[in-house]
Structure formats: C-alpha cells, structure tokens
Amino acid sequence: MPKNRQFALAPLTIPGCPPPELIYLAARAGYDAVSLRTIPMGLPGEPDYRLSTNKTLFRQVKAALSATGLHLNDVENARIYAGVDIGGYMPEVEALAELGLKHLLTNIWTEDRSFVVDRFAELCELGRSCGMSVNIEFVTWASVRNIAECLEIIAAAGCANAGIVVDTLHFNRSRCSLGDIKSTPTEYLRFAHICDAPGPIPATSEELVFTGREARLYPGEGSIDIAAIVRALPDLVYGLEIPNLAAINELGRAEHVFRALEATKNYFEANGL
C-alpha cells in the first residue's frame, strides 16, 4: 500500500464519543488524523460538543491533538436547512480555526435551491475568512443526494473554496457512477468517507437511515465496490465512517476503531490501492 495513504477517524464511527477520547482512541489505533462533530445537528439525544461555548473542552481537544500529533482533518456539520443563520456558525468556525482546521463539512436539508445556493455561498465566504474549504457531502436521504446536484450548487455559488465529499455508502445508495467522479474537478475532492454496506440497496428512507447511522460494515464485508471508487478519486485523506452499533456493543469503542482501520488497510492492500 502506498505510504501516502492517510486515514482519519470520523465521529459517526463511534457516535457520541467525546472529542478528546476520540482523538486518543484514534492515535492508539494508528490513524493519521481525526474528524470531529462539534456543530450539533439537533438529533434526539445528541451531545453538544461545541468548542466555542465550552472552553474546557477546547483546551482538552487542543491538548489531545498536541499530545498525539494527529491533525484535525475536517469538522461537521454546518448544515444548510430552511431558516438557517449561517452567521450562527461563526463562533465555532473561528474556534476551530485556532486548532488549524482546513476543511468544513456541510450537507443540505431544504429543497429551496435558490436559498441553498445563497446560503452555501455565504458559508463558503465564512470558511474562506478562516482559511477553510467548505465541502458538500451528498446524503441519499437528504435534499442534495448525488454528485451532479453538488456540482450544480457549486457552479451557481461560484466559490473557489467549495468542494464535494464522496462517501462510499451514499455513492452506492444514490447510484452515482464512476463517471460522476471523473467529471468532477480534482480540486473539489479533498477527503472522502470509506465504509462498506450490505446489498441490495434499501427501498425506504427508514432502511437507508438505519444502515447509514447504525449498521455500516468494514471494507470487504459488504457489496460496495470501494476499490473502484478509490481508484477514481485523486490522492486524498480517507475518513473511516463506519458506525455499527452491534460491533460497538460487542467489542467496545477501542476495538471497533482498531478493527475499522485494520480492515480498511487490509482491503486497500488486497486491492492494490
């Protein structure tokens, strides 16, 4: 496997894990970087890990990054939804900039495309002012579901720091093609999410959400052609986003995080990636 492959631990792999603990778990397992969720999505029971309002947590995250040597690859989730106030993200983005964050993740939860384009452009300007890119992750059950729709929004917004996050689950579930990746400017592709999942593709939103949030698989255990997707991508950081509550309950967080990385490395090596 090429030495320049970098793997980041994504927060959804161990849902609800406090950011400092996630960083230390990632370091012990051998990851190169971490992603964090410090911008709440408002989900039921979701913990609030905002660094801008919790100075103790900010200091703990800063200390964990320094002690482990891991870098903070990206933070989620600066969502765009009906009525969102993009300015409300400013304090958190400024706090994250102090930690060296370069990539902000967003996804779209409103069908008002004109509103989306305006708010995305505003979010990109906020990110630009803090030295960050802003990257749309298309989500199969959200309002922007595939690469083509992402490209339309980016073109309309006209922001140089815009990008797209390819998640192998959503790529598969949204029935994107390898041609969609190949037609995407490489400068838009800064990091990707890796996981596997069982087939066939679920028929309902409820089933899609269940797999996406609770039952993804380690690479090689499911039906997604991860190797083909990776070969179509430029060299970038691969975030392992593999939530599997059954595995966490059986193995514990630390072992699940370790197995996710080992399975991914083994898959990459077996497929010459």
Side-chain angles (χ1 to χ4, degrees):
M1 184 174 62
K3 293 181 179 180
N4 58 357
R5 294 299 192 195
Q6 289 200 346
F7 298 102
L9 176 60
L12 194 58
T13 299
I14 39 176
C17 184
E21 181 182 350
L22 183 148
I23 294 166
Y24 288 121
L25 287 173
R28 293 189 187 106
Y31 289 78
D32 305 290
V34 293
S35 304
L36 298 177
R37 177 176 288 180
T38 73
I39 303 175
M41 291 181 64
L43 298 172
E46 180 186 21
D48 185 345
Y49 291 138
R50 283 177 292 176
L51 305 183
S52 56
T53 58
N54 188 331
K55 300 306 181 184
T56 298
L57 183 60
F58 177 89
R59 288 193 297 270
Q60 291 172 340
V61 168
K62 185 175 182 178
L65 291 170
S66 177
T68 61
L70 300 187
H71 73 269
L72 180 55
N73 184 69
D74 60 281
V75 164
E76 53 189 59
N77 185 348
R79 298 180 306 139
I80 296 175
Y81 55 90
V84 65
D85 173 17
I86 297 298
Y89 292 137
M90 174 65 86
E92 191 65 20
V93 172
E94 289 180 332
L96 292 164
E98 291 186 47
L99 299 175
L101 181 69
K102 297 301 181 186
H103 307 305
L104 194 63
L105 182 147
T106 184
N107 41 51
I108 315 298
W109 301 88
T110 173
E111 301 294 341
D112 185 341
R113 191 54 58 90
S114 177
F115 177 85
V116 167
V117 170
D118 289 344
R119 298 292 80 74
F120 181 67
E122 188 179 351
L123 184 60
C124 285
E125 176 55 28
L126 172 58
R128 187 202 62 76
S129 71
C130 292
M132 299 176 193
S133 68
V134 178
N135 306 273
I136 305 172
E137 180 187 36
F138 58 94
V139 176
T140 308
W141 57 86
S143 301
V144 171
R145 305 169 184 85
N146 55 52
I147 292 174
E149 292 177 356
C150 291
L151 289 172
E152 290 173 1
I153 291 168
I154 290 173
C159 300
N161 62 329
I164 297 173
V165 180
V166 174
D167 181 306
T168 55
L169 178 80
H170 299 306
F171 181 93
N172 172 261
R173 287 349 195 194
S174 293
R175 296 177 171 83
C176 295
S177 71
L178 297 177
D180 291 329
I181 297 177
K182 293 173 182 177
S183 65
T184 300
T186 56
E187 61 267 25
Y188 291 174
L189 301 168
R190 300 177 178 92
F191 63 100
H193 286 164
I194 300 291
C195 73
D196 213 336
I201 296 173
T204 68
S205 293
E206 291 75 15
E207 292 174 294
L208 289 167
V209 171
F210 172 76
T211 301
R213 293 182 178 163
E214 299 185 25
R216 303 194 197 194
L217 302 176
Y218 303 141
E221 291 187 345
S223 62
I224 299 176
D225 190 353
I226 299 169
I229 299 170
V230 170
R231 290 190 186 103
L233 291 168
D235 188 28
L236 38 66
V237 174
Y238 299 95
L240 306 192
E241 188 170 83
I242 312 177
N244 187 305
L245 298 192
I248 293 171
N249 290 336
E250 178 183 352
L251 304 170
R253 283 174 172 171
E255 184 64 17
H256 174 55
V257 163
F258 174 77
R259 292 195 186 191
L261 181 59
E262 286 300 293
T264 303
K265 287 182 174 180
N266 290 338
Y267 180 90
F268 273 53
E269 183 174 1
N271 288 275
L273 301 174

